[in-house]
Amino acid sequence: MAPEDPVLLGRTGHAALLTLNRPRALNALTHRMVGLVDEALTAWEHDGTVRAVVVRGAGERGLCAGGDIRAVREDALAGGAASPAFWRDEYRLNARIARYPKPYVAFMDGIVMGGGVGISAHGGLRVVTERSRVAMPETGIGLVPDVGGTFLLSRAPGELGTHLALTGEAVGASDAVLCGLADHVVRSADLPALTEALGGTTPRQAVRAFAAEPAEGSLAARRDWIDACYACDDVEEIVARLTGHGDPAAKEAAETLLTRSPTALKATLAVLRAARALPSLEAALDAEYRASCAALALPDLPEGVRAQIVDKDRRPRWSPASLREVEAADVARFFQEPAGGGLGLAAALG
């Protein structure tokens, strides 16, 4: 294994170490990386000397900024043949992580967004630090939260998940725990020592030995206006409630929503509400796969990535340009079976 490999494998005692290794790209996931992670999990599942798996990110900036959306944009512009195959394997990996038979410990240090949430927040032990910034920012690039994000956020207290899904707001350690995206807080400086401890004792004992009190979060104090404003099934109504609430933070949230893809906002709210009634992560991933494939065929995805990542002008030209122009049929296509077939994860469970 060479230092430039996109996924590095290692060991410390009885713990297997999996390091995402694209630090210059903030460890953004490629199709090849998904395959390498899956292969490693297969090998370690059948290795009796491995008692736990630890996933972490190379570099100083974070675990993973998400999928390689530059590649997704290029694929969308070329006709969208490669991205569905990538999502199929990525979402299957997300489901596998959730049901992995050995302790799966995720170091959610630094930036953890989109696909980074998928490779960490479904694990059995999810560790955040004072540096953590956890987010599902898909509406800002014309997508619906995926990698099981709608399943997780639909089960957050009150309407906190709705707020995070629509705005894409990044949260710190305490709020990540509050929303069910993480379990324990450990100081970033203690992660090397925790890694060594995981090789010699049970994961829960090791993590508890290093657990720290998180700094105070901000979401709990905002529950009054978040729960009141987001408790409906219409994005225009949510924006109106936020604008008229009176709290400056609520108005700021409304202003943020008006910068997001109108189509993605309406589709996200619909998929998120449907996820509340779904019985499993696999069923939610099936639904997200349908939504992602639908977004791939629409103009907002390549335009959103252009504005945020390619040209970085932060001035996307959405189509349709306003919430009132998004029709019911535009949202309905996010629930339709893709031309190449569905994901089929829930059906595989029997």
Side-chain angles (χ1 to χ4, degrees):
M1 181 174 298
E4 66 272 14
D5 286 344
V7 175
L8 302 178
L9 309 182
R11 287 286 294 269
T12 178
H14 294 291
L17 307 178
L18 191 155
T19 305
L20 305 181
N21 188 39
R22 294 182 70 214
R24 291 184 180 179
L26 227 169
N27 302 316
L29 291 172
T30 64
H31 201 164
R32 182 187 175 206
M33 291 170 72
V34 168
L36 291 171
V37 172
D38 190 62
E39 289 174 8
L41 292 182
T42 296
W44 290 333
E45 181 176 345
H46 301 289
D47 186 339
T49 68
V50 172
R51 298 178 185 172
V53 172
V54 180
V55 61
R56 56 191 185 173
E60 300 298 322
R61 298 168 64 197
L63 172 65
C64 175
D68 188 342
I69 57 174
R70 281 179 179 268
V72 172
R73 177 179 186 266
E74 292 170 2
D75 180 52
L77 293 173
S83 295
F86 167 59
W87 288 326
R88 275 182 176 273
D89 289 341
E90 183 185 22
Y91 298 175
R92 286 169 175 163
L93 177 62
N94 301 148
R96 181 177 193 180
I97 289 169
R99 295 181 181 272
Y100 199 64
K102 296 182 178 182
Y104 184 99
V105 185
F107 288 178
M108 301 172 70
D109 185 37
I111 293 174
V112 185
M113 296 185 178
V117 173
I119 206 167
S120 59
H122 301 302
L125 276 173
R126 306 160 302 172
V127 174
V128 282
T129 76
E130 76 282 357
R131 300 183 341 112
S132 295
R133 302 300 295 166
V134 184
M136 296 298 297
E138 284 76 11
T139 59
I141 57 168
L143 277 170
V144 169
D146 62 344
V147 298
T150 62
F151 184 79
L152 294 168
L153 294 176
S154 69
R155 285 151 175 79
E159 296 296 334
L160 294 181
T162 310
H163 171 70
L164 297 184
L166 294 182
T167 64
E169 178 181 338
V171 298
S174 179
D175 289 331
V177 173
L178 171 64
C179 291
L181 302 173
D183 304 302
H184 300 281
V185 181
V186 173
R187 292 193 317 128
S188 182
D190 287 338
L191 292 180
L194 172 57
T195 302
E196 292 300 312
L198 286 164
T201 186
T202 68
R204 292 195 180 278
Q205 287 176 330
V207 171
R208 285 171 182 164
F210 287 90
E213 285 296 320
E216 185 176 356
S218 63
L219 287 181
R222 292 187 279 162
R223 279 287 300 276
D224 57 343
W225 64 262
I226 287 176
D227 287 354
C229 294
Y230 287 94
C232 65
D233 297 333
D234 182 87
V235 179
E236 288 100 325
E237 176 63 22
I238 288 173
V239 172
R241 291 184 185 185
L242 289 168
T243 302
H245 185 275
D247 191 305
K251 183 179 180 182
E252 183 179 344
E255 292 171 351
T256 297
L257 291 181
L258 293 177
T259 69
R260 305 309 194 221
S261 160
T263 302
L265 284 176
K266 289 200 170 185
T268 292
L269 185 61
V271 174
L272 189 71
R273 291 293 187 251
R276 286 179 171 174
L278 295 178
S280 66
L281 169 63
E282 287 81 1
L285 288 164
D286 285 342
E288 291 169 357
Y289 181 75
R290 291 190 287 270
S292 294
C293 289
L296 189 64
L298 299 178
D300 279 4
L301 173 55
E303 171 60 14
V305 178
R306 179 206 63 77
Q308 296 296 328
I309 303 297
V310 180
D311 297 336
K312 299 182 180 179
D313 60 20
R314 307 293 192 269
R315 298 179 63 183
R317 296 179 289 274
W318 304 122
S319 179
S322 67
L323 288 167
R324 61 181 175 77
E325 294 176 87
V326 180
E327 300 179 354
D330 297 324
V331 176
R333 74 175 65 190
F334 284 79
F335 291 83
Q336 295 172 359
E337 198 82 348
L343 191 60
L345 281 174
L349 286 178

